[in-house]
Amino acid sequence: MSRPVIVFGTRNPGKLREVAAGLGEVARVQGLDDFPPVPEPVESGASFAENARAKALAYAKLLAPHLEKDALVLAEDAGLEIYALDGYPGVRSSRIADDDEVRRRLVLAKLHAGGYSDEDSRRARFVSAMALVTGGEVLAQVEGEVEGVIAPQPRGTGGFGYDPLFFYPPYGKTFGECSLAEKRAVSHRAMALTVIMDFIRKNLTEE
Ligand code: IMP
């Protein structure tokens, strides 16, 4: 079976870890570190989908001189949405502060300020939007999500970003307390990736 080359456009090691193993089943995966440095595309869209698409197209253009023929570029925009806070931090999930710990504190402070202390009012979801591009063309655009509850304080050291705050009721623990395999069985990123992998198997691999 011939497998396409896919460059996953991220500098986030947590995302790379969660995507590389699965995607490796259907494609030869490369990361940005396999290429000369390129600037990070600006994320100015109003939705995760818009940002994922813009990121994939921008990386495809920036990397074009170095890409193998027919190589594809995959990009993701992801984030946390808290229902009681009208979707905050949403598309700005990575930008409300400079580091993960401060971002987590900000989220907890907002919930505290709003008096959102019971489980029901702290419901949230993670969203992952992915776009698969070749040349200037978007071949597939998908989304995955997972529902959870914002914990009163961070728990666990696994994963990245908001994972220690994201309590997943079916597991009875936060994503920060989960193994990579546990998170990959249910996460927003894994759901989006499953659809991308199906698309690749059906359309881009040759027996
Ligand atoms: P992006 O790199 O612009 O897609 O921003 C993603 C940001 O959303 C990250 O910096 C995290 O703060 C948050 N985020 C997205 N997915 C996850 C996840 O799986 N776990 C924890 N935080 C996440």
Side-chain angles (χ1 to χ4, degrees), residues 128-180:
S128 160
M130 291 187 180
L132 185 68
V133 156
T134 187
E137 193 192 350
V138 180
L139 298 182
Q141 176 120 41
V142 307
E143 270 188 39
E145 63 172 70
V146 59
E147 300 262 344
V149 174
I150 302 301
Q153 64 234 322
R155 271 171 34 190
T157 52
F160 66 96
Y162 299 98
D163 278 344
L165 282 187
F166 194 81
F167 180 81
Y168 183 63
Y171 285 168
K173 57 186 176 183
T174 70
F175 273 2
E177 296 172 297
C178 287
S179 66
L180 185 59

Side-chain angles (χ1 to χ4, degrees), residues 8-21 31-33 40 76 100 103 158-161 163 180 183-184 189:
F8 183 42
T10 185
R11 295 238 172 259
N12 180 326
K15 282 188 180 186
L16 196 57
R17 247 194 325 272
E18 290 176 22
V19 165
L32 293 175
D33 289 342
E40 203 161 328
E76 186 209 39
D100 277 338
R103 288 193 272 265
F160 66 96
D163 278 344
L180 185 59
K183 186 176 172 193
R184 280 189 50 207
R189 184 160 296 106

Side-chain angles (χ1 to χ4, degrees), residues 1 18 21 24-25 38 47 61 65-66 78 85 107 114 119 144 146 160 162 172 186-187 190 195 201 203 207:
M1 188 176 79
E18 290 176 22
E25 289 171 22
V38 288
S47 66
K61 200 168 173 180
H66 313 286
L85 302 180
V107 162
E119 206 172 295
V146 59
F160 66 96
Y162 299 98
V186 298
S187 81
V195 187
R201 277 195 197 96
N203 299 286
E207 295 299 331

